[in-house]
């Protein structure tokens, strides 16, 4: 069972709001998740990102693989060195 760090979509039509979550690979995008790591609001100006860096690092050490977008958000927030 693979665990992913990915985005779950919330909000209205044409105004998305995302939660950064840890979920099983087989779960639906907006379905069951294990833990919420933070939020991402791309519609605000500037973009708002709130993230629990310690939880994110702990899940990465446990072997969770971030999706491409989640990886960019984690890198932007300073979870990764590169």
């Amino acid at each position: 069972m693979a665990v992913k760090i990915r985005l779950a979509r919330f909000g209205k039509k044409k105004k998305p709001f995302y939660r950064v979550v840890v979920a099983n690979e087989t779960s639906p995008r907006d379905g069951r998740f294990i833990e919420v790591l933070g939020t991402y609001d791309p519609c605000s100006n500037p973009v708002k990102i709130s993230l629990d860096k310690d939880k994110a690092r702990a899940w990465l050490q446990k072997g969770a693989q971030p999706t491409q977008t989640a990886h960019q958000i984690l890198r932007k927030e300073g979870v990764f060195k590169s």
Side-chain angles (χ1 to χ4, degrees), residues 2-17:
V3 177
K4 296 258 185 194
I5 298 175
R6 63 185 184 192
L7 301 179
R9 190 181 195 277
F10 292 90
K12 299 182 212 176
K13 184 169 39 170
K14 306 278 185 176
K15 191 167 182 340
F17 177 81

Side-chain angles (χ1 to χ4, degrees), residues 17 25 29 34 40-41 49 51 58 68 74:
F17 177 81
E25 188 174 48
R29 177 192 71 182
I34 300 168
Y40 168 59
D41 186 3
I49 300 172
L51 189 68
Q68 190 174 19
L74 293 172

Side-chain angles (χ1 to χ4, degrees), residues 12-28:
K12 299 182 212 176
K13 184 169 39 170
K14 306 278 185 176
K15 191 167 182 340
F17 177 81
Y18 298 94
R19 287 185 188 163
V20 182
V21 299
V22 179
N24 288 333
E25 188 174 48
T26 58
S27 296

Side-chain angles (χ1 to χ4, degrees), residues 5-78:
I5 298 175
R6 63 185 184 192
L7 301 179
R9 190 181 195 277
F10 292 90
K12 299 182 212 176
K13 184 169 39 170
K14 306 278 185 176
K15 191 167 182 340
F17 177 81
Y18 298 94
R19 287 185 188 163
V20 182
V21 299
V22 179
N24 288 333
E25 188 174 48
T26 58
S27 296
R29 177 192 71 182
D30 299 334
R32 181 181 294 214
F33 56 87
I34 300 168
E35 187 172 13
V36 176
L37 300 180
T39 60
Y40 168 59
D41 186 3
C43 292
S44 65
N45 191 9
V47 173
K48 291 181 186 175
I49 300 172
S50 67
L51 189 68
D52 188 341
K53 297 175 188 174
D54 295 330
K55 284 185 185 179
R57 286 188 190 107
W59 277 105
L60 289 168
Q61 288 176 352
K62 292 177 187 175
Q65 295 295 316
T67 61
Q68 190 174 19
T69 306
H71 188 275
Q72 291 174 355
I73 290 170
L74 293 172
R75 189 178 64 218
K76 191 173 191 177
E77 287 297 302

